[in-house]
Amino acid sequence: GAGVSQTPSNKVTEKGKYVELRCDPISGHTALYWYRQSLGQGPEFLIYFQGTGAADDSGLPNDRFFAVRPEGSVSTLKIQRTERGDSAVYLCASSPGVGPLYGYTFGSGTRLTVV
Amino acid sequence: AQSVAQPEDQVNVAEGNPLTVKCTYSVSGNPYLFWYVQYPNRGLQFLLKYITGDNLVKGSYGFEAEFNKSQTSFHLKKPSALVSDSALYFCAVRDGKDIFGKGTRLHILP
């Protein structure tokens, strides 16, 4: 597509529930990144993929968070047993490759609210 | 660990005046530095980057940034501010992935 698409744009869930957030990157972009942004803060890195594999998952806060990219295109961020502290805007970005040559193209984000 | 710092939470500039948004960095090795902008209700947008070469890099919307190795700074600049430049600006350092500062809110006053 023309840009990075994230669905849903908003998600309200109850504490303890499971959620999935989807990211559809720009066609042909091999690198895909997930960030989390809380109000008044900069984006916080979670995980990034090069192709199908997770190149760096050091930002995932705990084992309730997991992400996949099975075919090297669409990615899903999965959060189990959600907690109120998980409430944030989850951002996805993609780039043609890794390395310093490329800036990222971000999606509009998914606003997750855990009640 | 690689990091960037944005010392100002908010910067106010009158329309038509020059603007500067400050960023300092801490890296081991060569710094790869980026600026992004976040307009209200829109996603983050890439503005410009420094990899190597000229210390003054030019980017989108008339913005430029000056890399200063001795001061470990990468300040964002524009010669004449527009009201439409009002947004949230983030500096970032690339360490495999981009590591962002906390952001600076820029207000351009008509």
Side-chain angles (χ1 to χ4, degrees):
Chain A
V4 177
S5 175
Q6 291 189 247
T7 54
S9 55
N10 280 283
K11 176 71 176 176
V12 180
T13 190
E14 292 181 347
K15 179 176 176 297
K17 298 290 188 184
Y18 168 83
V19 296
E20 290 189 352
L21 311 180
R22 176 188 168 107
C23 174
D24 198 342
I26 291 174
S27 178
H29 280 195
T30 60
L32 184 148
Y33 307 81
W34 283 101
Y35 287 82
R36 177 168 72 173
Q37 187 175 21
S38 300
L39 195 62
Q41 301 296 316
E44 173 193 10
F45 170 74
L46 296 176
I47 184 171
Y48 88 88
F49 293 86
Q50 171 65 4
T52 60
D56 184 346
D57 65 357
S58 62
L60 295 177
N62 51 59
D63 61 6
R64 296 187 297 106
F65 288 74
F66 189 71
V68 295
R69 194 185 186 200
E71 298 179 358
S73 178
V74 171
S75 176
T76 305
L77 178 66
K78 308 181 181 194
I79 310 174
Q80 298 178 320
R81 305 183 303 280
T82 51
E83 299 177 356
R84 293 197 177 88
D86 299 334
S87 297
V89 177
Y90 288 80
L91 300 171
C92 176
S94 69
S95 65
V98 297
L101 291 179
Y102 310 106
Y104 298 168
T105 301
F106 279 84
S108 296
T110 294
R111 183 176 299 277
L112 175 67
T113 303
V114 182
V115 298
Chain B
Q2 322 278 51
S3 66
V4 291
Q6 294 182 245
E8 303 155 318
D9 289 336
Q10 183 167 308
V11 172
N12 297 322
V13 177
E15 186 177 25
N17 282 1
L19 70 87
T20 298
V21 182
K22 296 180 180 178
C23 173
T24 59
Y25 65 88
S26 174
V27 304
S28 53
N30 295 322
Y32 304 126
L33 300 163
F34 295 76
W35 276 101
Y36 291 83
V37 59
Q38 190 170 38
Y39 296 105
N41 301 315
R42 291 172 62 180
L44 276 157
Q45 296 180 36
F46 166 72
L47 272 181
L48 51 79
K49 67 179 184 289
Y50 172 82
I51 302 175
T52 187
D54 288 343
N55 290 339
L56 188 65
V57 293
K58 295 187 182 297
S60 307
Y61 309 120
F63 283 93
E64 56 192 25
E66 185 172 12
F67 173 73
N68 187 316
K69 186 174 182 179
S70 63
Q71 296 184 4
T72 61
S73 67
F74 188 56
H75 299 335
L76 182 70
K77 301 183 178 188
K78 187 172 182 181
S80 178
L82 300 172
V83 172
S84 58
D85 293 330
S86 298
L88 194 52
Y89 290 81
F90 293 97
C91 180
V93 61
R94 178 86 34 107
D95 181 17
K97 68 279 186 183
D98 282 357
I99 300 168
F100 288 83
K102 64 176 175 59
T104 298
R105 187 165 297 281
L106 179 63
H107 285 287
I108 307 302
L109 309 171

